[in-house]
Amino acid sequence: MTTGSNKGSWKKHLLHLSIVLAGTAHAADYEISVVSGGSGPNDHYRTDAIEMAANILMQEADAAGEELNIKVNKRSYADWDSFKQAVTLAAESGSAPDIVVTGHVDIAPWAQSGLIAPVEDYVDMDAWPLNNLYPNLVEISSFNGMIYGIPQDSEARPFFAWKEYLQQIGYDQQAVDSLPDRIESGEYTLYDMLEDAKKAQDEGLVAQGYGFYPRVTNGPDFWQFYTSFGGELQDEETGRLIFDKAAMEKTYQFFVDAVEMGVTRRNHLGTPWDQWYAEVASGKAAFWHGGTWHYSRYTEAEGLDDFFGNVQFGLIPTGDKEVDNHANTLTHPVVYLITEQDNEEQMEVAAKLIKLASEPRINTLHAIKSSHLGISPEQMNIGLYNNDRWAMEATERLLPHATSMPNNADFGAFWNIYWKGLEAAWTGQKTPKQAVIDAETELRGTLGNGVIIL
């Protein structure tokens, strides 16, 4: 990511920043609102960090002999739909929150609509701590060559296996321990997993339909399987989306095969999430996939006392031996965005708070509390982070292989079409081939030249 435009924008705003941070001759008062989506009880630092940053900024002003008062109004939504509706309605009424904490895929449509401003216009990306962020996370937080967001966390979405069942279907300890390496090398495939899932069921270790227990609703996780079968999402040169028919059909066929082998239920989709969490954390499933943040749910709410003694984890395996090794995981970082406001100084204060909230110690509080991963390599040196086994192993094992969904305004439509096809094939309404044909037809009609059909 080049920073030439950032440096120019930074110079334009030095005067405003000097007013905010140093040169104020009278008390400056600001009220900053921050709204977060998809946030459960363990995600409170997404907004609390902004409040912590405000306290630091006010203390810095006090140390410089200035008076700065910042009040932070916080709100979090557990579900994404309610959050996005609230942000959209607030923006339409002219009262958008100053800071929104959302998934990176919202950057493209919100930038095009004028809701958000490039954060690089308000902070120096070449100064600490922003110059220490993982470069790929900065890239994910960008659109049309501009840095719009600052990553609030990172994550990965692992493949999980219950260790005891691996041993009971013939794995010795060395084989159990080496499974992540075999997945990473491409030796162990998704179809190898289905065979093992069938063995676990045949041995009576888990019930029918519990050999492979995927997530129960639509979500980014299912793009990992498309990647496993060699699918790509975006053309690097043109930015256009890619629909790989062969990879898509293999993806749909994989879930059909899982159903036909009896290791995944045909009616699995729609299972209540609370039921799913309880089942995978208590050994009722042999294999499943989820997010790094699931660790806190398993070990706290679900009472899984010895996670590492019971569960093995790694990348999502490559699809089959017929494709090159595409073992992978997906990261879907949540980002801090600043909204367009009439008050330029208000926007600069909001951006300054985001910068402070991104410092390694503050961000590590969120990472450890919520079982997410860090946003900078410097966090590996923070005691709270490097003493946490899950944070360290997940970071080292998963993040180097992580891909992301593209920041493309058309991706929402593409995603919906992909999901409709997968659901139709999974539940037996269509064959995988017919589901792909119908998806292609709909994509051509909806996105036209915005998508490359392979």
Side-chain angles (χ1 to χ4, degrees), residues 7-75:
K7 291 178 180 176
S9 299
W10 174 249
K11 290 177 181 178
K12 290 191 300 181
H13 291 284
L14 279 177
L15 178 59
H16 288 302
L17 284 172
S18 67
I19 292 173
V20 172
L21 300 179
T24 310
H26 56 81
D29 299 300
Y30 296 95
E31 192 164 329
I32 302 294
S33 55
V34 54
V35 179
S36 174
S39 297
N42 288 334
D43 299 312
H44 58 85
Y45 281 111
R46 285 179 173 157
T47 54
D48 286 356
I50 298 298
E51 192 169 49
M52 294 172 68
N55 290 330
I56 293 172
L57 195 57
M58 288 188 289
Q59 290 179 40
E60 287 180 345
D62 180 68
E66 306 296 336
E67 185 176 350
L68 175 64
N69 301 306
I70 303 174
K71 178 182 178 182
V72 176
N73 298 317
K74 305 178 295 181
R75 182 163 186 181

Coordinates of all heavy atoms in Angstrom, one line a residue, residues 7-75:
K7 N 0.5 11.0 2.9 CA 1.4 12.0 3.4 C 0.9 13.4 3.0 O 1.0 14.4 3.7 CB 2.8 11.8 2.8 CG 3.5 10.6 3.5 CD 4.9 10.4 2.9 CE 5.5 9.1 3.5 NZ 6.8 8.8 2.9
G8 N 0.4 13.5 1.7 CA -0.2 14.8 1.3 C -1.4 15.2 2.1 O -1.5 16.3 2.6
S9 N -2.2 14.2 2.4 CA -3.4 14.5 3.2 C -3.0 14.9 4.6 O -3.7 15.7 5.3 CB -4.4 13.3 3.2 OG -4.8 13.0 1.9
W10 N -2.0 14.2 5.1 CA -1.6 14.4 6.5 C -1.1 15.9 6.6 O -1.5 16.5 7.6 CB -0.4 13.4 6.8 CG 0.2 13.7 8.1 CD1 1.5 14.1 8.4 CD2 -0.3 13.5 9.4 NE1 1.7 14.2 9.7 CE2 0.6 13.8 10.4 CE3 -1.6 13.0 9.8 CZ2 0.4 13.7 11.7 CZ3 -1.8 12.9 11.2 CH2 -0.8 13.3 12.1
K11 N -0.4 16.4 5.7 CA 0.1 17.8 5.7 C -1.1 18.7 5.8 O -1.1 19.7 6.5 CB 1.0 18.1 4.6 CG 2.4 17.3 4.7 CD 3.2 17.6 3.4 CE 4.6 16.9 3.5 NZ 5.4 17.1 2.3
K12 N -2.1 18.4 5.0 CA -3.3 19.3 4.9 C -4.0 19.4 6.3 O -4.6 20.5 6.5 CB -4.3 18.8 3.9 CG -3.9 18.9 2.5 CD -5.0 18.6 1.5 CE -5.6 17.2 1.7 NZ -6.7 16.9 0.8
H13 N -3.8 18.4 7.1 CA -4.6 18.4 8.3 C -3.7 18.7 9.6 O -4.2 18.6 10.7 CB -5.3 17.1 8.5 CG -6.4 16.9 7.5 ND1 -7.6 17.5 7.6 CD2 -6.4 16.1 6.4 CE1 -8.3 17.1 6.6 NE2 -7.6 16.3 5.8
L14 N -2.5 19.1 9.4 CA -1.6 19.4 10.5 C -2.2 20.5 11.4 O -2.1 20.5 12.6 CB -0.2 19.7 10.1 CG 0.7 18.5 9.8 CD1 2.1 19.0 9.2 CD2 0.9 17.6 11.0
L15 N -2.7 21.5 10.7 CA -3.3 22.7 11.4 C -4.4 22.2 12.4 O -4.5 22.6 13.5 CB -3.8 23.7 10.4 CG -4.4 25.0 11.1 CD1 -3.4 25.7 12.0 CD2 -4.9 25.9 10.0
H16 N -5.3 21.4 11.8 CA -6.4 21.0 12.6 C -6.0 20.1 13.8 O -6.4 20.3 14.9 CB -7.4 20.1 11.8 CG -8.2 20.9 10.8 ND1 -9.0 22.0 11.2 CD2 -8.3 20.8 9.5 CE1 -9.6 22.5 10.2 NE2 -9.2 21.8 9.1
L17 N -5.0 19.3 13.6 CA -4.5 18.4 14.6 C -3.8 19.2 15.7 O -3.9 18.9 16.9 CB -3.5 17.4 14.1 CG -4.2 16.2 13.3 CD1 -3.2 15.3 12.7 CD2 -5.1 15.4 14.3
S18 N -3.1 20.3 15.3 CA -2.4 21.1 16.3 C -3.5 21.8 17.2 O -3.3 22.0 18.4 CB -1.6 22.2 15.6 OG -2.4 23.1 14.9
I19 N -4.6 22.2 16.6 CA -5.7 22.7 17.4 C -6.2 21.7 18.4 O -6.4 22.0 19.6 CB -6.9 23.2 16.5 CG1 -6.4 24.4 15.7 CG2 -8.1 23.6 17.3 CD1 -7.4 24.8 14.6
V20 N -6.4 20.5 18.0 CA -6.9 19.4 18.8 C -6.0 19.1 19.9 O -6.3 18.9 21.1 CB -7.3 18.2 18.0 CG1 -7.7 17.0 18.9 CG2 -8.4 18.5 17.0
L21 N -4.6 18.9 19.6 CA -3.7 18.3 20.5 C -2.8 19.2 21.3 O -2.3 18.9 22.3 CB -2.8 17.3 19.7 CG -3.6 16.2 19.0 CD1 -2.6 15.3 18.3 CD2 -4.4 15.4 20.0
A22 N -2.6 20.4 20.8 CA -1.6 21.2 21.4 C -1.9 22.7 21.6 O -1.7 23.3 22.6 CB -0.2 21.1 20.7
G23 N -2.4 23.3 20.5 CA -2.4 24.7 20.5 C -3.7 25.3 21.0 O -4.0 26.5 20.7
T24 N -4.6 24.6 21.7 CA -5.9 25.2 22.1 C -5.7 26.1 23.3 O -5.1 25.7 24.3 CB -6.8 24.0 22.5 OG1 -6.8 23.1 21.4 CG2 -8.2 24.6 22.7
A25 N -6.2 27.3 23.2 CA -6.0 28.3 24.3 C -7.2 28.2 25.2 O -7.2 28.9 26.3 CB -5.9 29.7 23.7
H26 N -8.2 27.4 24.9 CA -9.4 27.3 25.8 C -9.8 25.9 25.8 O -9.3 25.1 25.1 CB -10.5 28.2 25.3 CG -10.9 28.0 23.9 ND1 -11.7 26.9 23.5 CD2 -10.5 28.6 22.7 CE1 -11.9 26.9 22.2 NE2 -11.1 27.9 21.7
A27 N -10.7 25.6 26.7 CA -11.2 24.2 26.8 C -11.9 23.7 25.5 O -12.7 24.5 24.9 CB -12.2 24.1 28.0
A28 N -11.5 22.5 25.1 CA -12.2 22.0 23.9 C -13.0 20.8 24.3 O -12.6 19.9 25.1 CB -11.1 21.5 22.9
D29 N -14.3 20.8 23.9 CA -15.2 19.7 24.3 C -15.7 19.0 23.1 O -16.1 19.6 22.1 CB -16.4 20.3 25.0 CG -16.0 21.1 26.3 OD1 -15.4 20.4 27.2 OD2 -16.2 22.3 26.3
Y30 N -15.6 17.6 23.2 CA -16.1 16.8 22.1 C -16.9 15.7 22.6 O -16.7 15.1 23.7 CB -14.9 16.2 21.3 CG -14.0 17.3 20.6 CD1 -12.9 17.8 21.2 CD2 -14.4 17.7 19.3 CE1 -12.1 18.7 20.6 CE2 -13.6 18.7 18.7 CZ -12.5 19.2 19.3 OH -11.7 20.2 18.7
E31 N -17.9 15.3 21.8 CA -18.7 14.1 22.1 C -18.6 13.2 21.0 O -19.0 13.5 19.8 CB -20.2 14.5 22.4 CG -21.0 13.4 23.0 CD -22.4 14.0 23.6 OE1 -22.4 15.1 24.0 OE2 -23.3 13.2 23.5
I32 N -18.0 12.0 21.2 CA -17.7 11.0 20.1 C -18.6 9.8 20.3 O -18.6 9.2 21.4 CB -16.2 10.6 20.1 CG1 -15.3 11.9 20.0 CG2 -16.0 9.6 19.1 CD1 -15.5 12.5 18.6
S33 N -19.3 9.4 19.3 CA -20.1 8.2 19.4 C -19.5 7.1 18.6 O -18.9 7.3 17.5 CB -21.5 8.5 18.8 OG -21.4 9.0 17.5
V34 N -19.5 5.9 19.2 CA -18.9 4.7 18.6 C -20.0 3.6 18.7 O -20.5 3.3 19.7 CB -17.6 4.3 19.2 CG1 -17.7 4.1 20.7 CG2 -17.0 3.0 18.6
V35 N -20.2 2.9 17.5 CA -21.2 1.8 17.5 C -20.5 0.6 16.9 O -19.9 0.7 15.8 CB -22.4 2.3 16.6 CG1 -23.4 1.1 16.5 CG2 -23.1 3.5 17.2
S36 N -20.7 -0.5 17.5 CA -20.1 -1.8 17.1 C -21.2 -2.8 16.7 O -22.2 -2.9 17.4 CB -19.2 -2.3 18.2 OG -18.7 -3.6 17.9
G37 N -20.9 -3.6 15.7 CA -21.8 -4.7 15.3 C -21.2 -6.0 15.6 O -20.0 -6.2 15.8
G38 N -22.0 -7.0 15.6 CA -21.6 -8.4 15.8 C -20.8 -8.6 17.1 O -19.8 -9.4 17.1
S39 N -21.2 -8.0 18.1 CA -20.4 -8.0 19.4 C -21.1 -8.6 20.5 O -22.2 -8.2 20.9 CB -20.0 -6.5 19.7 OG -19.2 -6.0 18.8
G40 N -20.5 -9.7 21.0 CA -21.1 -10.4 22.2 C -20.5 -9.9 23.4 O -19.7 -8.9 23.4
P41 N -20.7 -10.5 24.6 CA -20.2 -10.1 25.9 C -18.7 -9.9 26.0 O -18.2 -9.1 26.7 CB -20.8 -11.1 26.8 CG -21.9 -11.7 26.1 CD -21.6 -11.7 24.7
N42 N -18.0 -10.8 25.2 CA -16.5 -10.7 25.3 C -15.9 -9.7 24.4 O -14.7 -9.6 24.3 CB -15.9 -12.1 25.0 CG -16.2 -13.1 26.2 OD1 -16.3 -12.7 27.3 ND2 -16.2 -14.4 25.9
D43 N -16.7 -9.0 23.6 CA -16.2 -8.1 22.6 C -16.3 -6.6 23.0 O -16.2 -5.7 22.2 CB -17.0 -8.2 21.3 CG -16.8 -9.6 20.7 OD1 -15.7 -10.1 20.6 OD2 -17.8 -10.2 20.3
H44 N -16.5 -6.4 24.3 CA -16.8 -5.0 24.8 C -15.6 -4.1 24.6 O -15.8 -2.8 24.6 CB -17.2 -5.0 26.3 CG -16.2 -5.6 27.2 ND1 -15.2 -4.9 27.7 CD2 -16.1 -6.9 27.7 CE1 -14.4 -5.6 28.5 NE2 -15.0 -6.8 28.5
Y45 N -14.4 -4.6 24.4 CA -13.2 -3.7 24.2 C -13.3 -3.0 22.8 O -12.6 -2.1 22.5 CB -11.9 -4.4 24.3 CG -11.5 -4.6 25.8 CD1 -11.5 -5.9 26.4 CD2 -11.2 -3.5 26.6 CE1 -11.2 -6.0 27.7 CE2 -10.8 -3.7 27.9 CZ -10.8 -4.9 28.5 OH -10.5 -5.1 29.8
R46 N -14.2 -3.5 21.9 CA -14.3 -2.8 20.6 C -14.8 -1.4 20.8 O -14.3 -0.5 20.1 CB -15.3 -3.6 19.7 CG -14.8 -4.8 19.1 CD -15.8 -5.6 18.3 NE -15.1 -6.7 17.6 CZ -15.7 -7.8 17.2 NH1 -17.0 -7.9 17.3 NH2 -15.0 -8.7 16.6
T47 N -15.6 -1.1 21.8 CA -16.0 0.2 22.1 C -15.3 0.8 23.4 O -14.9 1.9 23.4 CB -17.5 0.3 22.4 OG1 -17.9 -0.6 23.4 CG2 -18.3 0.0 21.1
D48 N -15.0 -0.1 24.3 CA -14.3 0.3 25.5 C -12.9 0.9 25.2 O -12.4 1.8 25.9 CB -14.1 -0.8 26.5 CG -15.4 -1.2 27.2 OD1 -16.4 -0.5 27.0 OD2 -15.4 -2.2 28.0
A49 N -12.3 0.4 24.1 CA -10.9 0.8 23.8 C -11.0 2.3 23.3 O -10.0 3.0 23.5 CB -10.3 0.0 22.7
I50 N -12.1 2.7 22.7 CA -12.2 4.1 22.3 C -12.3 5.0 23.6 O -11.7 6.1 23.6 CB -13.4 4.3 21.4 CG1 -13.2 3.5 20.1 CG2 -13.6 5.8 21.1 CD1 -12.0 3.9 19.3
E51 N -13.0 4.5 24.5 CA -13.1 5.3 25.8 C -11.8 5.3 26.5 O -11.4 6.4 27.1 CB -14.2 4.6 26.7 CG -14.6 5.4 27.9 CD -15.8 4.8 28.6 OE1 -15.8 3.6 28.8 OE2 -16.8 5.6 28.8
M52 N -11.0 4.2 26.5 CA -9.7 4.2 27.1 C -8.8 5.2 26.3 O -8.0 6.0 27.0 CB -9.1 2.8 27.0 CG -9.8 1.8 27.9 SD -9.2 0.1 27.5 CE -7.6 0.2 28.2
A53 N -8.9 5.3 25.0 CA -8.1 6.2 24.2 C -8.5 7.6 24.5 O -7.6 8.5 24.6 CB -8.3 5.9 22.7
A54 N -9.7 7.9 24.7 CA -10.2 9.3 25.1 C -9.5 9.7 26.4 O -9.1 10.8 26.6 CB -11.7 9.3 25.2
N55 N -9.5 8.8 27.4 CA -8.9 9.1 28.7 C -7.4 9.4 28.5 O -6.9 10.4 29.1 CB -9.1 8.0 29.7 CG -10.5 7.8 30.1 OD1 -11.2 8.8 30.2 ND2 -10.9 6.6 30.5
I56 N -6.7 8.7 27.7 CA -5.3 8.9 27.4 C -5.1 10.3 26.7 O -4.2 11.1 27.1 CB -4.7 7.8 26.5 CG1 -4.7 6.5 27.3 CG2 -3.3 8.1 26.1 CD1 -4.3 5.3 26.5
L57 N -5.9 10.5 25.7 CA -5.8 11.8 25.0 C -6.1 13.0 25.9 O -5.4 14.0 25.8 CB -6.8 11.8 23.8 CG -6.6 12.9 22.7 CD1 -5.2 12.7 22.1 CD2 -7.6 12.7 21.6
M58 N -7.0 12.9 26.8 CA -7.3 14.0 27.7 C -6.1 14.1 28.7 O -5.8 15.3 29.0 CB -8.6 13.7 28.5 CG -9.9 13.9 27.6 SD -11.4 13.8 28.6 CE -11.5 12.0 29.0
Q59 N -5.5 13.0 29.1 CA -4.4 13.1 30.0 C -3.2 13.7 29.3 O -2.4 14.5 29.9 CB -4.0 11.8 30.6 CG -5.1 11.3 31.6 CD -4.8 9.9 32.1 OE1 -3.6 9.6 32.4 NE2 -5.8 9.0 32.3
E60 N -3.0 13.4 28.0 CA -1.9 14.0 27.3 C -2.1 15.5 27.2 O -1.1 16.3 27.3 CB -1.8 13.4 25.9 CG -1.3 11.9 25.9 CD -1.3 11.3 24.5 OE1 -1.9 11.9 23.6 OE2 -0.6 10.3 24.3
A61 N -3.3 15.9 26.9 CA -3.6 17.4 26.8 C -3.3 18.0 28.2 O -2.7 19.1 28.2 CB -5.1 17.6 26.4
D62 N -3.7 17.4 29.3 CA -3.5 17.9 30.6 C -2.0 18.1 30.9 O -1.6 19.1 31.4 CB -4.2 17.0 31.6 CG -3.9 17.6 33.1 OD1 -4.5 18.6 33.4 OD2 -3.2 16.9 33.8
A63 N -1.2 17.1 30.5 CA 0.2 17.1 30.7 C 0.8 18.3 29.9 O 1.9 18.9 30.3 CB 0.9 15.8 30.3
A64 N 0.2 18.6 28.8 CA 0.7 19.7 27.9 C 0.1 21.1 28.4 O 0.4 22.1 27.7 CB 0.3 19.5 26.5
G65 N -0.6 21.1 29.5 CA -1.2 22.3 30.0 C -2.5 22.8 29.3 O -2.8 23.9 29.3
E66 N -3.1 21.9 28.6 CA -4.3 22.2 27.9 C -5.5 21.5 28.5 O -5.4 20.5 29.3 CB -4.2 21.7 26.4 CG -3.0 22.3 25.7 CD -3.0 23.8 25.5 OE1 -4.1 24.4 25.6 OE2 -1.9 24.4 25.4
E67 N -6.7 22.0 28.2 CA -7.9 21.3 28.7 C -8.7 20.7 27.6 O -9.1 21.5 26.7 CB -8.8 22.4 29.5 CG -10.0 21.7 30.2 CD -10.8 22.7 31.0 OE1 -10.4 23.8 31.2 OE2 -11.9 22.3 31.4
L68 N -8.9 19.4 27.6 CA -9.6 18.7 26.6 C -10.6 17.8 27.2 O -10.2 17.0 28.1 CB -8.6 17.9 25.7 CG -9.2 17.0 24.6 CD1 -9.9 17.9 23.5 CD2 -8.1 16.2 24.0
N69 N -11.8 17.9 26.8 CA -12.9 17.1 27.4 C -13.5 16.2 26.3 O -14.0 16.8 25.3 CB -13.9 17.9 28.1 CG -13.4 18.8 29.2 OD1 -12.7 18.3 30.1 ND2 -13.6 20.1 29.1
I70 N -13.5 14.9 26.4 CA -14.1 14.0 25.4 C -15.1 13.1 26.1 O -14.7 12.4 27.1 CB -13.0 13.2 24.7 CG1 -12.0 14.1 24.0 CG2 -13.7 12.3 23.6 CD1 -10.8 13.4 23.4
K71 N -16.3 13.1 25.7 CA -17.3 12.2 26.2 C -17.5 11.1 25.1 O -17.8 11.5 23.9 CB -18.6 12.9 26.5 CG -19.7 11.9 27.0 CD -21.0 12.6 27.3 CE -22.1 11.6 27.7 NZ -23.4 12.3 28.0
V72 N -17.4 9.9 25.4 CA -17.6 8.8 24.5 C -18.9 8.1 24.7 O -19.2 7.6 25.8 CB -16.5 7.8 24.5 CG1 -16.7 6.6 23.6 CG2 -15.1 8.4 24.2
N73 N -19.8 8.1 23.7 CA -21.1 7.4 23.8 C -20.9 6.0 23.0 O -20.6 6.0 21.9 CB -22.2 8.2 23.2 CG -22.4 9.5 23.9 OD1 -22.4 9.5 25.1 ND2 -22.6 10.6 23.2
K74 N -21.1 4.9 23.8 CA -20.9 3.6 23.2 C -22.2 2.8 23.0 O -23.1 2.9 23.8 CB -20.0 2.8 24.2 CG -18.7 3.5 24.5 CD -17.9 2.6 25.5 CE -18.6 2.5 26.9 NZ -17.8 1.7 27.8
R75 N -22.2 2.1 21.9 CA -23.3 1.1 21.8 C -22.9 -0.1 20.9 O -22.1 0.1 20.0 CB -24.5 1.8 21.1 CG -25.7 0.9 20.9 CD -27.0 1.5 20.6 NE -28.1 0.6 20.6 CZ -29.4 0.9 20.4 NH1 -29.7 2.1 20.1 NH2 -30.3 0.0 20.4

